[in-house]
Amino acid sequence: MDDLVTGADGRARCGWCGTDPLYVAYHDDEWGRPVTDDTRLFEKLCLEGFQAGLSWLTILRKRPAFRAAFADFDPATVAAFDDADVERLLGDAGIVRHRGKITAAISNAARALELEAEVGSLSDHVRSFVPAEVAGAPRPASLAEVPASTPESTALSRDLKRRGWRFVGPTTVYAFLQAMGVVDDHVDGCWVPRARDPR
């Protein structure tokens, strides 16, 4: 995979997004843009968990169906899902029908509510694991420099697991930190401007 790919519009982008219009739009408009809304953060953690073993493009294509099936990922609503909801979700061909991932998302919703009650904000808690100097590090020069996990994602993963979260391993958590703009892993030369993470 090339580090950068130039689109029909003449813009250089991170090579992982290729030329699929949906993936290009995600790269340009979402990936790496800071998100502080706790509901969107919860959604992304859930979708990263569902992505395990699959391509992100598969999840992206299914995201509208996921949002419909999981009440737009409102943690209070998802935490109240019962066995009938699990069976409903297992029958929904629009999403990834994996019982373990579905029940993890429901359980994680309850854990998200507990965390917010304890510390006030999922966003602040996540960012507390990534020092400003790490978040503001220079962009990688190549895709080969982008790690699969970091000490920060490992520490956050351990913290979430200690709190009872599931499907939040260090690699999943690092992908979450990248996507939510806590770290900026757009490759040097990518046209997307560096976004300032609110701290």
Side-chain angles (χ1 to χ4, degrees):
M1 179 185 300
D2 292 335
D3 293 323
L4 294 169
V5 60
T6 302
D9 58 2
R11 287 177 162 172
R13 295 176 172 86
C14 301
W16 57 260
C17 75
T19 58
D20 183 284
L22 184 62
Y23 223 0
V24 169
Y26 174 71
H27 168 274
D28 288 3
D29 302 327
E30 291 186 58
W31 193 79
R33 304 293 176 110
V35 175
T36 57
D37 179 84
D38 282 354
T39 300
R40 296 283 67 87
L41 292 170
F42 172 67
E43 173 189 353
K44 185 62 174 170
L45 271 172
C46 286
L47 293 180
E48 289 290 352
F50 275 103
Q51 186 267 335
L54 302 169
S55 76
W56 179 248
L57 187 55
T58 296
I59 300 300
L60 202 55
R61 289 176 176 149
K62 291 178 176 286
R63 185 166 62 172
F66 269 111
R67 286 176 170 170
F70 281 91
D72 205 30
F73 289 96
D74 174 65
T77 303
V78 176
F81 281 6
D82 58 17
D83 290 344
D85 289 298
V86 172
E87 294 307 313
R88 170 182 60 82
L89 293 165
L90 285 170
D92 188 339
I95 67 169
V96 174
R97 294 178 289 180
H98 183 288
R99 184 180 294 272
K101 293 177 180 181
I102 288 169
T103 57
I106 295 168
S107 174
N108 288 351
R111 306 295 77 77
L113 295 174
E114 292 167 358
L115 192 150
E116 289 174 21
E118 178 186 338
V119 303
S121 165
L122 177 58
S123 174
D124 289 345
H125 187 67
V126 165
R127 283 170 168 80
S128 74
F129 281 81
V130 184
E133 61 271 20
V134 172
R139 286 180 163 181
S142 68
L143 291 174
E145 290 185 11
V146 179
S149 64
T150 63
E152 294 78 21
S153 73
T154 300
L156 178 55
S157 170
R158 286 178 181 155
D159 174 80
L160 292 174
K161 288 179 179 179
R162 179 182 60 79
R163 295 171 181 275
W165 292 66
R166 292 158 48 201
F167 284 93
V168 288
T171 299
T172 295
V173 168
Y174 191 67
F176 163 77
L177 294 175
Q178 292 173 303
M180 296 293 91
V182 181
V183 295
D184 183 351
D185 274 345
H186 282 282
V187 176
D188 188 36
C190 175
W191 83 268
V192 175
R194 189 175 188 104
R196 182 175 180 82
D197 187 42
R199 288 179 184 263

